Structure formats: structure tokens, C-alpha cells
Amino acid sequence: MRTNPDKITLGSGKAYIMEYTGEMPEVTAICVDDNELGKIQGGAELTYTAETHEEKDDLGTVAKVVITAEEAILKLGLITFNGETLAKLADRCTATTAAGKRTLHIGGAGNAQGKEWVVCFHHHDAVDGDIWVMVRGANQAGLTLTFAVDAGTKIEPEFKALPCDDKGTLITYIEAVKA
């Protein structure tokens, strides 16, 4: 099976999240309404970077390059959120609900949850086929809530990927292909 080499990926998608339990879920398990993190504004961005080390002789006739470190980050722009969302984005956070109010206490070592998450970004494309990008990790960008008169409040979490299997895989990229 082969994908269309002329395919142009255009548009945003949906972000889903669930607690990491030691194994990466199937997209059919994570990409359900109850796991939607929030509505996206400004899309999503996946970045994979590698650091390399090169050795070569003085005359430049032989050389060897090896990857010494790598990093993957999935950035999202969330235009809708609530206290449940914030509790998943701030590790040092506790939430309580009583008398019709949810109260979050953000920050402080005593509030650490120590949770890791699986985040899946689903790009739907009825013509060329869907794409799913999954990472295991936690938000590394903190939280910024800007309440402005002329713009919606948007939060931009960045999930730094952690290895999700015994090979050290950082990103699971799945695309629909036609037979």
C-alpha cells in the first residue's frame, strides 16, 4: 500500500488525552469525545530534533556521524478549556469540586501528581486519509492565561515526548492508506 505522493496536508484537527498506564493505547481508544482535551485554535505543531556528533580524519576522506540525543515536542493551541483541562496540564496541581465550584491549587511540591499522559492529535482528511500523531509525556510549557477584551483566552501546552516502548520510540505517526 502506498500513500499519494502528491498529498497536501491542510487543516487542523482534534487533540485527545488520557493518562499513560504503561502502554500506548490504540487511536480508537484515545480518540473519543470523553478524552478530547479542548478545541484547537492555531493548529498543532510536532517538532523532532536530533543532535549529532561527527568524527573525521584530518584530510576529510573518512567520516562518521552518529545521533547522540533526540527530542520531540507536540505543541497545541487550545481555545477551550476548563479546570479538568488545567489539571492535566499542570503536574503540580490538585482539584476539588464542592458546592458547584471546582477549585484548583496550582504549584507547590506537595501538589505534584506525577502523572504522564498520552496525547493524540487527529487530523481528519476525508479525501487523502487521516493522520494521527501520538506522544507520551507531560506539558513542559507551564500555563499562561491571558484574559483580553479583544481575544479569546488560549493556552499553548507543549508535550515533551518520553520513550513509549523498549526501543525508545518518541512519536507514533499513523496515516490512513488506501489499498
Side-chain angles (χ1 to χ4, degrees), residues 1-2 7 26 69 71 81 95 116 152 169:
M1 285 186 225
R2 198 179 123 139
K7 174 182 174 177
E26 296 293 325
E71 179 178 81
F81 62 91
E116 294 176 358
T169 301

Side-chain angles (χ1 to χ4, degrees), residues 41 78-81 144-148 150-156:
Q41 183 185 60
L78 300 175
I79 192 68
T80 64
F81 62 91
T144 300
L145 300 175
T146 303
F147 299 94
D150 60 348
T153 301
K154 183 168 92 172
I155 53 179
E156 298 178 315

Side-chain angles (χ1 to χ4, degrees), residues 105-173:
H105 296 278
I106 301 172
N111 289 328
Q113 301 175 69
K115 292 183 180 180
E116 294 176 358
W117 302 93
V118 177
V119 180
C120 182
F121 180 77
H122 177 202
H123 169 76
H124 177 73
D125 187 331
V127 175
D128 291 320
D130 292 7
I131 296 172
W132 297 265
V133 175
M134 287 197 308
V135 299
R136 167 190 163 213
N139 176 30
Q140 303 290 308
L143 297 170
T144 300
L145 300 175
T146 303
F147 299 94
V149 68
D150 60 348
T153 301
K154 183 168 92 172
I155 53 179
E156 298 178 315
E158 297 180 10
F159 293 87
K160 184 174 180 179
L162 298 170
C164 62
D165 59 21
D166 60 359
K167 294 179 182 177
T169 301
L170 297 178
I171 302 164
T172 301
Y173 176 92

